[in-house]
Amino acid sequence: MPGQFEEAVAAVRKGDYATAQRVLRGLADQGSAGARHNLGLMYLNGRGVPRDEAEAAKWFRKAADQGHAAAQHSLGGMYDIGRGVPQNDAEAVKWFRKAAEQGLAKAQCDLGVMYAKGRGVTRNVAEAARWFRKGADQAYTAAQVNLGLMYEIGQGVPKNFAEAVRCYQAAADQGEARAQFSLGAMYAAGRGLPKDNVRAYMWFSLSATQANDNAVKNRDLTARSMTPAQIADAQKLAREWTPKPK
């Protein structure tokens, strides 16, 4: 069975979705949770099979019931936005929690979002921050950004600009556009670190390359307070920046 699964993965990488679907279906019928989850993804994305969100949810559920964390998260995501199943916040929380408790970082982040918004659970920003921290500790960028925001505004945790910067920096270093924008804003305002327009311009520029219109506006606004030499330095820093592995 492991060899067959590897065959399916190789077929997907080559774009041979028909072969991948055939192999995965055989494995799924034999009870492989990983194959069932991946088969669900093929139905969700219409790869090798007609796109069918209800069929995707069916296969996600089969794998989720076997305790497959990624499938539990996928099924939670279906309930979150009502794809292939009726939209249901409580069910989304149920499946996000199952995956989060197994340590899946993206599920921990999504569960935190549900607590932050009070969707499917009683709103609890401290609990939201707790789950964001779990995801952030695994270097999951969305969780790092969310935890940084909690520290910046003092929600669920004591307000702490230095901690907000630390979270934003960790995600920005991986190339996360929202984190790059937020880090630029912290440099521009001198919050949690010394004010530095060169660094602010740099981070706004990097975020702007990912179609962040607010980053473009803030970069141009920051430039009004900079000398041509400072702008040149900031542009050089942006050009030479490379993402750091998590």
Side-chain angles (χ1 to χ4, degrees):
M1 190 178 292
Q4 289 178 293
F5 189 81
E6 291 168 2
E7 179 187 352
V9 171
V12 169
R13 288 174 178 165
K14 292 188 295 185
D16 184 0
Y17 300 121
T19 296
Q21 190 275 338
R22 175 180 53 78
V23 175
L24 288 173
R25 181 58 187 258
L27 292 173
D29 288 342
Q30 293 177 51
S32 167
R36 288 174 169 179
H37 179 236
N38 280 278
L39 186 59
L41 292 174
M42 295 194 78
Y43 276 107
L44 183 64
N45 297 308
R47 291 182 170 178
V49 290
R51 187 165 182 247
D52 188 331
E53 293 180 347
E55 190 70 7
K58 183 190 83 172
W59 287 106
F60 289 156
R61 188 182 305 280
K62 286 179 181 288
D65 284 340
Q66 292 175 259
H68 192 280
Q72 291 169 339
H73 177 258
S74 294
L75 184 58
M78 301 293 269
Y79 276 112
D80 183 23
I81 58 178
R83 297 180 70 183
V85 292
Q87 197 282 328
N88 187 316
D89 287 345
E91 280 293 304
V93 166
K94 168 187 167 181
W95 291 107
F96 285 156
R97 189 185 305 281
K98 286 179 181 291
E101 288 175 347
Q102 292 197 64
L104 190 66
K106 56 187 176 181
Q108 293 169 338
C109 183
D110 285 340
L111 183 58
V113 170
M114 300 302 271
Y115 272 108
K117 295 182 177 180
R119 292 182 53 204
V121 289
T122 301
R123 186 171 185 264
N124 185 329
V125 291
E127 189 69 3
R130 184 174 79 87
W131 284 108
F132 289 151
R133 187 182 307 282
K134 287 179 179 291
D137 286 345
Q138 297 188 65
Y140 187 63
T141 58
Q144 290 168 332
V145 173
N146 289 341
L147 183 60
L149 179 60
M150 302 292 265
Y151 274 116
E152 184 178 353
I153 65 178
Q155 193 171 82
V157 291
K159 182 180 286 189
N160 187 322
F161 292 150
E163 276 298 302
V165 167
R166 185 184 66 80
C167 293
Y168 292 149
Q169 183 80 60
D173 283 343
Q174 294 184 63
E176 213 285 345
R178 291 181 303 152
Q180 291 172 337
F181 173 83
S182 295
L183 186 57
M186 300 299 271
Y187 271 113
R191 300 172 76 180
L193 36 62
K195 180 179 174 66
D196 187 333
N197 282 337
V198 170
R199 292 285 173 179
Y201 187 105
M202 166 201 164
W203 287 111
F204 286 144
S205 294
L206 289 168
S207 183
T209 64
Q210 299 186 61
N212 187 331
D213 291 339
N214 285 331
V216 174
K217 294 175 184 176
N218 279 268
R219 179 199 63 198
D220 293 346
L221 182 62
T222 301
R224 297 177 187 176
S225 302
M226 299 171 67
T227 66
Q230 288 175 322
I231 292 173
D233 287 343
Q235 291 172 338
K236 182 174 184 291
L237 287 171
R239 285 194 307 271
E240 295 176 349
W241 178 86
T242 56
K244 297 178 181 178
K246 61 181 180 180

